Amino acid sequence: MAELPVLELPAALSHCSGRFTISTLLGAEEGGRGPYAATEGAGCDSAHPTHLSGSTLCTRTFGYNTVDVVPAYEHYANSKGVGDAGKGRPSLADLHSILKPDPGRLCAPVAEPQHGNGLPEAGPEEAAGEPGRAPAPEPVRFGWVKGVMIRCMLNIWGVILYLRLPWITAQAGIALTWLIILMSVTVTTITGLSISAISTNGKVKSGGTYFLISRSLGPELGGSIGLIFAFANAVAVAMHTVGFAETVRDLLQEHNSLIVDPTNDIRIIGVVTVTVLLGISLAGMEWEAKAQILFFLVILVSFINYLVGTVIPATAEKQAKGFFSYRADIFAQNFVPSWRGPEGSFFSLFSIFFPSATGILAGANISGDLKDPAVAIPKGTLMAIFWTTVSYLVLSATIGACVVRDASGSLNDSVAVGSPGCEGLACSFGWNFTACAQRQSCRYGLSNYYQSMSMVSGFGPLITAGIFGATLSSALACLVSAPKVFQCLCRDQLYPLIGFFGKGYGRNNEPIRGYMLTYVIAVGFILIAELNAIAPIISNFFLCSYALINFSCFHASITNSPGWRPSFRYYSKWAALFGAAVSVVIMFLLTWWAALIAFGIVIFLLGYVLYKKPDVNWGSSMQASSYNMALNYSVGLSEVDEHIKNYRQGRLGACLVLTGPPNFRPALVDFVGTFTKNLSLMLCGNVLIGPRKQKMPESRLTADGHTKWLMKRKIKAFYTDVVAEDLRSGVQILIQAAGLGKMRPNILALGYKRNWRTASPQSLEDYVGILHDAFDFKYGVCLLRMKEGLNVSRVMQAHADPATLAGEQQASTVFQSEQGKKTIDIYWLFDDGGLTLLIPYLLGRKKRWRKCKIRVFVGGQINRMDEERKAAVTAPSPSPPTPPSTPKPARTPFPGTVCLSCSIKRFDDLITPFRLNDGFKDEATVNEMRQGCPWKISDEEVDKNRAKSLRQVRLNEILLDYSRDAALVAITLPIGRKGGCPSSLYMAWLETLSQDLRPPVILTRGNQENVLTFYCQ
């Protein structure tokens, strides 16, 4: 018989993402037939067709027919919560319960034809679509440059860059101006890092800032900030449009060409401008993006024009206005501050400049229109911050080295160099500005002339064009952002009467109604024509968003939620907290009364959502924090002596561990304690077997000692024991009684029974029965096997004095030592909901295991691998993606036929003592022979499960070949069907699968319900 080849994948056929390497084990149908290949027409783990839930089919996996399926990408997409069974995945009852024959249904020997994504192929009618209907057009999607970087840069650049930065440089000097710029950029950079972390923590949909905050902090804070952020963007459209209208009005005034009067001209120009911008937006995102690129090019040309103007020799007219090209003396004088007027202070200038550093959310606000938000938002936002910062620093340094602070603008003020009575730096250049400087009546110079950039530039009108581009691009970005954010808020239905605006149109799902609402709001504020009072409130709304984004990142990190796994690693939770605090401080520095108004509105909207309690569940960090607080308070109660006035009862648990006395199995305690620490609750269960009257005193005496032993070992866990007549009955009591309310265990962890071959047959039956009971109660199961065993009770007194338990020598285990640069190998053989993948991942986040690289091996089919890996590239992982490659592990050649025969013989020797040797007699005779010994294996059962048995043999060879030097091996636990697989045969499978492995082996099986998702909600 030919063996099943497990092909070594080339680099192009593996997906590597940071610490994760995903490889695919090929099934027999691709690699040839072998001893593991089932005969044609074999049933699904049975000879009879069965009733199965949903549309579950019998598929060929690893060479034999089974209803178990390999992990599929779509099973983890857009899950609404833990406990949702994945689409197409069989339920636990399908895999575990007794099969009921159904002659009317036949089980297909192979799966339906499947696409690469694991979905059944559409039939001819579906493939063709409905008659007369063309396929839906693909929506327009943008990359990180066009969709995020350019959009953010345009929104950051504004009129302050052109009209106020030279004046700030004159007041604060080049040195302090750079400090102001860098302080502002520090806040925006920290916020950009927080945005990057949140946006790479799963799939990001449309809704931008509102979506990121609401899915991180929950609907209460997310809803309030979403509403005010959308309103602030709508009003910001009016602000930028009025800035453009005022510039045009000033040009008209210079040429005596006013339309009506100065105020009404602003209104007329503003309404016409915002109407044109609305038309561009309604034309679609593609046209809007083209307009933004045009504005971007205009601004770049204006920058180049300015830089060229600084090196062109100054004319007499420009010298009269204070421009003398690059001079070291001018740079030295302008390097230090020269405070003037009521705004001549550091924080006043900081409050004026800071709004020009904002605008970093423009790219995130159109997250639904990006090709890959998880890549585009971090890359585009941070690059935009970098390049705009460079432009600010260069502009302040260059203009500070070219223009003096005071100049009269009069050509008659030229004098000979060294003339008496001339004071100031300009005297050395042949100009006497002393008179106007002493009277503080100079009209030109950095301190007096806001249009200094235009004066310095090679061609002044290009700077005006740059101002137009900056204002219009910012207005257009806000006009697009507000409806996108508001549409997502409307669809979530957190507030009444706004659902009407959530409807989308066209291939990009454009919020046309939202655009019209934003247009009405913008026109209303443009008609006021005086936004000086409302502008500080808008700036505070944006800062409030920054504060909450940073707090979202900090809160998600501090709660250690398993759902917080951003692939963007270059962030710090403490930097995020600092950014949140600084944003709040800046709010009060800008305008204290506006900050109070912003907080008041947020608190009011927050209170409304708390009162209404919307029916949404997004798995926010607030939920994780509530659980952690309850967990910490509950664990803290273990350290407090009970008092009659404060008597309470209750035991809480999330992972039930069958430790017996915890000090007997320290490795099992350390293993579970490592991945549950500060994350979930661990409950150590002990079954005292015997009469209740005899065992109750023992329970009371030892319980306190075991709790203290756990505390000394720094394991956050509860200890509880029950008295029962046998082990299985006691475990059934623990499974049903453990926990309180929502804080109930859903994973049963226990050690592997090493002595199953020599133990009493009833204890073997009880052990396997405990696994069946766990599956019946919808628990996940985790078995830990170590080469040296788990039970150390042989080297200590079986029932130690309770007073000495906490003080005894603490045994050291592998889970307490530094692992170094090894690997954690995960063999995710079947789709169990993700628990096989989640537990090793949580373990790998801990300090001692952090250097270990995680390798994931999955079963699959050749025609699915490319699509699966392409989809997996977008999956969240703890580190940023790297080019696809698979490091080839150290390995020896595959064992030959002799070794394979030896392995098969070894398996046969395992089950020989438990065989019934009935000679393929009928079922009635077999049941009679097996009376009183249900663990016996009939010849028919051996033959029927031959392919599955040989699969364990081959998988063990693969494990030895790939994972002999791993720090930990995690394998999906095979399920033995209740009533169809004798306990001795099932234990032989587990023994064969995990034997001869040096590293610890965990055999894990989830309850077939999702514990992972790629989406934020």
Side-chain angles (χ1 to χ4, degrees):
M1 294 186 296
E3 70 175 53
L4 170 68
V6 179
L7 304 181
E8 180 175 333
L9 299 174
L13 292 181
S14 286
H15 168 61
C16 178
S17 179
R19 293 175 61 223
F20 282 90
T21 301
I22 301 177
S23 302
T24 306
L25 307 176
L26 303 183
E29 59 271 36
E30 291 82 23
R33 302 185 61 84
Y36 327 98
T39 57
E40 292 298 331
C44 307
D45 290 343
S46 172
H48 304 286
T50 61
H51 285 292
L52 296 177
S53 66
S55 59
T56 304
L57 294 175
C58 304
T59 59
R60 291 183 62 82
T61 306
F62 295 107
Y64 71 99
N65 288 340
T66 174
V67 296
D68 224 344
V69 298
V70 297
Y73 173 82
E74 64 272 9
H75 292 175
Y76 299 88
N78 204 20
S79 296
K80 294 293 180 66
V82 175
D84 292 347
K87 179 182 178 182
R89 181 194 301 139
S91 68
L92 194 57
D94 289 339
L95 300 173
H96 175 248
S97 298
I98 299 174
L99 289 170
K100 298 178 181 179
D102 179 11
R105 292 181 63 184
L106 292 178
C107 202
V110 294
E112 284 186 350
Q114 298 207 339
H115 287 301
N117 59 4
L119 297 176
E121 286 187 2
E125 294 181 3
E126 293 177 52
E130 296 183 13
R133 175 176 294 184
E138 287 292 325
V140 178
R141 294 286 185 260
F142 304 112
W144 69 273
V145 175
K146 192 174 179 181
V148 180
M149 188 185 78
I150 291 179
R151 191 175 300 273
C152 287
M153 291 178 70
L154 289 173
N155 217 22
I156 292 172
W157 285 329
V159 291
I160 291 179
L161 170 69
Y162 290 96
L163 302 182
R164 289 295 182 271
L165 188 57
W167 174 77
I168 292 173
T169 303
Q171 289 270 5
I174 296 173
L176 290 184
T177 300
W178 275 38
L179 180 61
I180 289 172
I181 295 171
L182 294 177
M183 285 176 59
S184 303
V185 169
T186 299
V187 178
T188 56
T189 302
I190 292 174
T191 307
L193 295 176
S194 299
I195 293 172
S196 302
I198 296 173
S199 63
T200 57
N201 188 46
K203 290 281 187 180
V204 178
K205 299 181 181 179
S206 61
T209 305
Y210 161 70
F211 184 88
L212 297 177
I213 295 178
S214 63
R215 271 52 175 182
S216 295
L217 289 180
E220 297 83 7
L221 282 172
S224 57
I225 202 63
L227 197 59
I228 65 172
F229 186 76
F231 177 76
N233 272 281
V235 179
V237 175
M239 288 182 57
H240 295 300
T241 305
V242 167
F244 168 79
E246 286 182 348
T247 307
V248 175
R249 189 269 318 268
D250 292 341
L251 289 175
L252 293 176
Q253 275 187 324
E254 288 181 9
H255 297 84
N256 297 320
S257 301
L258 287 177
I259 302 171
V260 182
D261 58 66
T263 302
N264 284 318
D265 280 10
I266 292 176
R267 292 169 179 161
I268 295 171
I269 298 169
V271 171
V272 171
T273 302
V274 79
T275 304
V276 173
L277 294 178
L278 176 66
I280 295 174
S281 301
L282 293 178
M285 289 297 297
E286 194 169 3
W287 284 97
E288 187 268 347
K290 291 178 181 178
Q292 293 285 32
I293 292 177
L294 176 63
F295 293 142
F296 183 72
L297 294 176
V298 169
I299 293 176
L300 286 185
V301 170
S302 72
F303 279 169
I304 295 172
N305 172 55
Y306 160 74
L307 292 175
V308 170
T310 60
V311 296
I312 295 176
T315 63
E317 290 183 357
K318 289 187 175 182
Q319 288 184 356
K321 295 180 180 179
F323 172 63
F324 298 97
S325 297
Y326 290 106
R327 301 296 179 102
D329 293 342
I330 298 178
F331 181 85
Q333 187 183 60
N334 289 336
F335 190 78
V336 295
S338 176
W339 308 112
R340 300 184 185 183
E343 295 174 335
S345 67
F346 180 83
F347 284 107
S348 295
L349 295 179
F350 177 80
S351 65
I352 292 172
F353 175 80
F354 183 80
S356 68
T358 61
I360 61 173
L361 300 178
N365 286 337
I366 63 162
S367 54
D369 296 299
L370 301 175
K371 292 178 182 176
D372 188 355
V375 174
I377 292 176
K379 199 172 182 180
T381 303
L382 295 177
M383 288 298 291
I385 293 173
F386 173 77
W387 288 116
T388 52
T389 302
V390 170
S391 67
Y392 284 141
L393 295 176
V394 169
L395 194 148
S396 63
T398 53
I399 204 163
C402 295
V403 184
V404 296
R405 285 190 169 103
D406 294 299
S408 63
S410 173
L411 294 175
N412 297 326
D413 288 338
S414 61
V415 295
V417 176
S419 298
C422 183
E423 298 178 2
L425 186 61
C427 297
S428 59
F429 306 131
W431 292 87
N432 185 2
F433 303 136
T434 305
C436 73
Q438 291 177 346
R439 294 194 302 268
Q440 295 186 354
S441 61
C442 294
R443 295 178 53 196
Y444 295 94
L446 285 182
S447 297
N448 311 292
Y449 189 48
Y450 289 154
Q451 299 282 353
S452 294
M453 276 189 68
S454 180
M455 181 265 294
V456 169
S457 67
F459 185 60
L462 284 180
I463 298 300
T464 304
I467 296 174
F468 289 171
T471 52
L472 293 178
S473 63
S474 298
L476 187 57
C478 293
L479 183 58
V480 171
S481 297
K484 297 281 186 182
V485 173
F486 193 59
Q487 181 185 37
C488 185
L489 178 65
C490 294
R491 288 180 172 177
D492 288 337
Q493 297 181 347
L494 300 182
Y495 299 103
L497 307 177
I498 63 174
F500 172 79
F501 298 100
K503 182 175 176 60
Y505 297 86
R507 60 180 180 175
N508 271 58
N509 202 24
E510 294 290 348
I512 304 298
R513 298 173 180 176
Y515 280 128
M516 300 309 299
L517 178 63
T518 304
Y519 174 76
V520 170
I521 294 173
V523 169
F525 281 94
I526 289 172
L527 293 178
I528 296 175
E530 181 57 55
L531 297 179
N532 290 337
I534 197 69
I537 299 179
I538 297 172
S539 298
N540 276 277
F541 282 168
F542 285 121
L543 277 169
C544 199
S545 302
Y546 290 178
L548 284 178
I549 287 174
N550 284 307
F551 183 74
S552 298
C553 182
F554 167 75
H555 197 264
S557 301
I558 206 70
T559 55
N560 284 325
S561 170
W564 175 250
R565 46 183 186 271
S567 59
F568 184 84
R569 302 292 298 276
Y570 306 104
Y571 74 96
S572 167
K573 58 186 176 184
W574 302 115
L577 179 63
F578 173 76
V582 169
S583 297
V584 173
V585 171
I586 293 175
M587 288 175 67
F588 285 92
L589 283 177
L590 293 179
T591 315
W592 64 267
W593 57 266
L596 292 177
I597 292 175
F599 277 114
I601 295 174
V602 170
I603 292 172
F604 172 77
L605 296 173
L606 171 66
Y608 177 83
V609 177
L610 287 172
Y611 173 75
K612 296 296 291 185
K613 293 182 176 62
D615 185 20
V616 293
N617 182 12
W618 297 324
S620 65
S621 61
M622 287 296 183
Q623 292 173 325
S625 177
S626 300
Y627 181 87
N628 282 349
M629 290 174 64
L631 170 62
N632 290 329
Y633 288 142
S634 300
V635 173
L637 289 176
S638 300
E639 305 174 11
V640 180
D641 293 334
E642 290 185 357
H643 191 277
I644 189 63
K645 292 191 297 183
N646 300 320
Y647 177 73
R648 295 288 187 273
Q649 281 184 320
R651 291 291 187 264
L652 306 176
C655 189
L656 177 59
V657 193
L658 300 184
T659 59
N663 56 324
F664 282 11
R665 295 174 179 81
L668 183 59
V669 172
D670 290 339
F671 163 63
V672 180
T674 300
F675 73 79
T676 59
K677 185 176 182 182
N678 296 328
L679 177 64
S680 184
L681 189 58
M682 171 182 169
L683 192 149
C684 296
N686 183 19
V687 179
L688 302 174
I689 302 173
R692 184 168 56 182
K693 288 185 179 180
Q694 179 184 342
K695 292 297 180 179
M696 285 303 295
E698 177 186 337
S699 172
R700 287 192 292 267
L701 284 172
T702 59
D704 188 56
H706 290 312
T707 300
K708 290 181 178 178
W709 183 88
L710 290 169
M711 290 168 56
K712 183 177 180 181
R713 205 170 180 85
K714 297 182 179 179
I715 300 293
K716 288 190 174 183
F718 289 120
Y719 168 82
T720 185
D721 51 34
V722 295
V723 178
E725 295 180 356
D726 57 71
L727 177 64
R728 186 174 181 182
S729 300
V731 174
Q732 288 174 343
I733 295 171
L734 283 172
I735 288 175
Q736 295 179 78
L740 180 67
K742 293 291 185 182
M743 298 184 67
R744 300 183 63 84
N746 53 14
I747 301 173
L748 180 70
L750 65 163
Y752 177 76
K753 189 174 181 64
R754 295 181 71 202
N755 65 340
W756 65 273
R757 286 167 287 179
T758 58
S760 66
Q762 186 57 49
S763 67
L764 171 61
E765 193 73 10
D766 285 347
Y767 181 81
V768 177
I770 289 171
L771 303 183
H772 288 308
D773 293 337
F775 289 135
D776 285 338
F777 287 107
K778 303 211 72 176
Y779 271 55
V781 172
C782 183
L783 298 181
L784 174 64
R785 180 176 186 179
M786 299 184 66
K787 190 174 183 180
E788 63 275 14
L790 295 173
N791 195 334
V792 298
S793 61
R794 299 183 304 276
V795 297
M796 63 177 62
Q797 187 178 351
H799 297 287
D801 181 4
T804 63
L805 273 177
E808 72 180 17
Q809 183 69 28
Q810 295 279 347
S812 178
T813 67
V814 66
F815 298 101
Q816 291 182 319
S817 58
E818 187 78 25
Q819 295 302 311
K821 295 184 178 180
K822 298 181 182 179
T823 62
I824 298 176
D825 288 353
I826 304 173
Y827 290 82
W828 197 12
L829 304 179
F830 297 109
D831 195 345
D832 63 342
L835 189 64
T836 303
L837 195 64
L838 180 62
I839 289 179
Y841 165 70
L842 295 177
L843 194 69
R845 296 205 312 183
K846 302 303 179 182
K847 184 178 180 181
R848 295 187 180 97
W849 297 77
R850 194 167 293 164
K851 294 180 181 179
C852 292
K853 186 178 183 66
I854 296 177
R855 301 191 301 178
V856 182
F857 298 86
V858 296
Q861 300 170 0
I862 286 179
N863 65 336
R864 289 185 53 174
M865 288 194 301
D866 293 338
E867 289 294 333
E868 289 285 340
R869 259 190 304 277
K870 184 178 178 182
V873 170
T874 62
S877 62
S879 57
T882 59
S885 63
T886 301
K888 297 182 180 179
R891 50 176 296 180
T892 58
F894 283 124
T897 307
V898 176
C899 293
L900 178 61
S901 301
C902 292
S903 300
I904 295 173
K905 184 179 183 303
R906 188 175 179 184
F907 173 80
D908 290 337
D909 292 341
L910 277 178
I911 63 175
T912 296
F914 302 95
R915 293 192 64 165
L916 204 56
N917 296 317
D918 56 285
F920 293 95
K921 291 183 173 59
D922 60 86
E923 186 175 352
T925 305
V926 170
N927 289 337
E928 184 178 347
M929 294 177 65
R930 196 156 47 185
Q931 189 69 30
C933 47
W935 53 86
K936 290 287 188 178
I937 312 169
S938 69
D939 293 344
E940 184 182 356
E941 288 167 338
V942 172
D943 186 67
K944 183 177 66 176
N945 291 289
R946 189 66 177 171
K948 194 169 185 178
S949 300
L950 293 175
R951 171 174 163 266
Q952 314 306 324
V953 174
R954 184 66 187 101
L955 282 174
N956 178 253
E957 293 179 351
I958 293 172
L959 291 169
L960 292 172
D961 195 31
Y962 281 88
S963 303
R964 65 181 68 211
D965 298 321
L968 180 74
V969 178
I971 314 171
T972 305
L973 176 72
I975 291 183
R977 193 172 295 281
K978 187 166 57 175
C981 178
S983 57
S984 54
L985 177 60
Y986 182 65
M987 289 303 299
W989 287 347
L990 302 188
E991 178 72 26
T992 301
L993 179 61
S994 58
Q995 64 189 356
D996 299 333
L997 288 169
R998 287 196 298 266
V1001 179
I1002 54 173
L1003 297 159
T1004 310
R1005 190 75 188 211
N1007 61 0
Q1008 301 300 112
E1009 296 177 348
N1010 282 357
V1011 297
L1012 297 174
T1013 176
F1014 292 145
Y1015 284 79
C1016 292
Q1017 70 180 77

